[in-house]
Amino acid sequence: MPQIAIVGGGPGGLFTAWHLEQLATAPIEITIFEATDRVGGKVITPRFTAAPVHYEAGAAELYDYSPVGDDPLRELVESFGLPTVALGGSRVYVGGRAIANLDDLRDAYGDRACRDLGNFDTWARSVMTPREFFASGSDHAGSAEPSGRFDTTLAALPSREIRHYLETMIHSDLATPPAATSVAYGLQNYLMNDPAYMRLYCIAGGNEQLIDALVARLAATMRRSTVVEQVGEGSADQLRLTLLGHEGRREADFDIVVLALPMDALGRLAFASGSLAAAMQRHLAHHDHPAHYLRITLLLDGPPHTPTDDDGYLMLDAFGGCCLYLESAREPEARHGVLGWLLGGAAAESMAAWSDADLVTAALATLPDPLAVDPERVLEARVHRWTGAVSSLPGGWQPLSQDQRHRPAAKTHPGLFVVGDYLYDSTLNGVLDSAEHVAGCVAAELTDHAREI
Ligand SMILES: Cc1cc2nc3c(=O)[nH]c(=O)nc-3n(C[C@H](O)[C@H](O)[C@H](O)COP(=O)(O)OP(=O)(O)OC[C@H]3O[C@@H](n4cnc5c(N)ncnc54)[C@H](O)[C@@H]3O)c2cc1C
């Protein structure tokens, strides 16, 4: 029976196992190796200790592309019967002032600035339609995708205020300064605010339920607390993994190895053979564009004040532009307020060295008047530092074909695949696309191999 190893028990690894199990036409044996004692990676919905209230420490929102095209993530969530809640947020707070629409913008900055934004918006839509947005990252994206650095686009905007407004609006999604990413990725993160392009939702009761639902349905063997340290060559064209777990260090050979790891973890893996190490070096050099997140979440005594009932989040111009999640707005009749700050980019990287207490003080100081919270009301604070955990330039400056992306050493080591959100758009939807592609390739190879025998 073909032996398949999946390295990484995050969403990428679990999605790959799920699709492989759906597609396999003959028996296969899948083992998932996860370094920590829990699977789910950056989809994590912890609970506070002071009250039975949960919050999102990693991925907070899922992207709904169903108005434009196929949406495998939405379909998966629905097929598992998981209830969802739509997420919305139109407010950007600049200098303590809420801007929710063009009238607010005109009041704040005047007619000329308003026209500048209108021109930028028209241009953005003309270079990336909802269909092109949907296809971005795929082999069908075509050469029409805008190229170059995103900061050059912003620098061309006549109005300084509009530049600041746009940077505030999208900084926490980009998680990087505009100079470190492409026009295409910058525009995607601007256009995603328009429901004609996509919508946001989350899983009621916590996104980690998606992980639980997957794990409950998988037949694969799960090896938790097992770090894969090295990939090398085994006997008879197999790949050999060096594993470190409770029982010590050991080696095991597999016909197929799927590395379902983010860039930082992939960079820590050793590759034993010279040609494999060189191929992985090229893969890393193309895709390694680290971006940073930091999340500060506060449990409040009593419900928070929210600007409107349907706001799930808003943007603040603090920390270079950050997102404030009104997490308790997702729960009907929440008895406790939960506020979550998502910092991105340079602020997230440098402030990761701060103490939790200093981060909480800094976060509370950013709240605009309508949302101000007396520090006495904070029952519990949680901080999650995600330095280097996501990609600022998914796909790299020049996106590769699907096969080149997923098979970094196709000629010399055809049994080695990679799965990652950094190959598409740094999201769960992207890592699912990646997993689907790899599962399809592996299933097709196993079928061909079985026919030859
Ligand atoms: C703060 C934050 C907010 C985010 N918000 C969103 C959002 O709103 N929407 C969205 O779609 N996406 C969001 N993302 C991105 C999303 O979390 C990722 O797309 C997704 O988690 C990628 O899955 P993955 O399996 O590739 O990586 P991970 O989730 O990182 O999982 C990798 C797994 O591999 C394990 N591992 C690492 N090294 C080894 C090793 N050597 N051996 C064995 N196991 C190993 C890790 O322990 C981990 O469990 C966010 C990410 C962060 C950090």
Side-chain angles (χ1 to χ4, degrees), residues 378-398:
V378 178
L379 294 179
E380 194 175 339
R382 297 281 184 93
V383 176
H384 297 265
R385 295 166 175 83
W386 296 106
T387 309
V390 288
S391 168
S392 65
L393 186 63
W397 288 109
Q398 287 292 329

Side-chain angles (χ1 to χ4, degrees), residues 7-13 33-36 38-43 57-63 226-229 260-262 265 268-269 293-295 325 342 386 389-390 419-421 426-429 431:
V7 182
F33 295 104
E34 167 52 45
T36 68
R38 73 168 276 280
V39 291
K42 296 189 286 267
V43 177
E61 54 209 31
L62 313 185
Y63 295 4
T226 306
V227 182
V228 174
E229 294 184 323
L261 298 172
R268 288 192 293 270
L269 269 190
Y293 276 133
L294 190 153
R295 212 183 254 288
Y325 287 102
L342 180 64
W386 296 106
V390 288
V419 161
D421 63 353
S426 290
T427 71
L428 291 169
N429 301 68
V431 81

Side-chain angles (χ1 to χ4, degrees), residues 38-56:
R38 73 168 276 280
V39 291
K42 296 189 286 267
V43 177
I44 174 164
T45 313
R47 276 181 171 250
F48 291 103
T49 43
V53 177
H54 60 78
Y55 65 98
E56 299 297 350

Side-chain angles (χ1 to χ4, degrees), residues 8 16 57 82 87 99 106 136 150 165 186 191 210 212 231 274 286 297 303 305 327 365 371 418 423 450:
T16 308
L82 298 170
L87 281 178
I99 298 178
R106 188 172 292 111
S136 52
F150 189 47
Y165 167 79
L191 292 166
L210 175 62
D212 299 340
V231 184
H286 184 92
T297 311
H305 313 289
E327 287 221 30
L371 282 159
V418 295
L423 300 168

Side-chain angles (χ1 to χ4, degrees), residues 347-373:
E349 186 181 23
S350 62
M351 290 171 72
W354 291 24
S355 70
D356 287 8
D358 286 349
L359 287 170
V360 171
T361 306
L364 283 171
T366 66
L367 289 174
D369 283 344
L371 282 159
V373 166

Side-chain angles (χ1 to χ4, degrees), residues 72-109:
L73 185 57
R74 180 102 217 175
E75 283 164 23
L76 195 65
V77 168
E78 277 170 12
S79 74
F80 292 163
L82 298 170
T84 59
V85 181
L87 281 178
S90 52
R91 282 169 171 68
V92 180
Y93 278 82
V94 184
R97 180 174 192 157
I99 298 178
N101 50 44
L102 279 182
D103 288 337
D104 294 342
L105 198 86
R106 188 172 292 111
D107 290 348
Y109 302 131

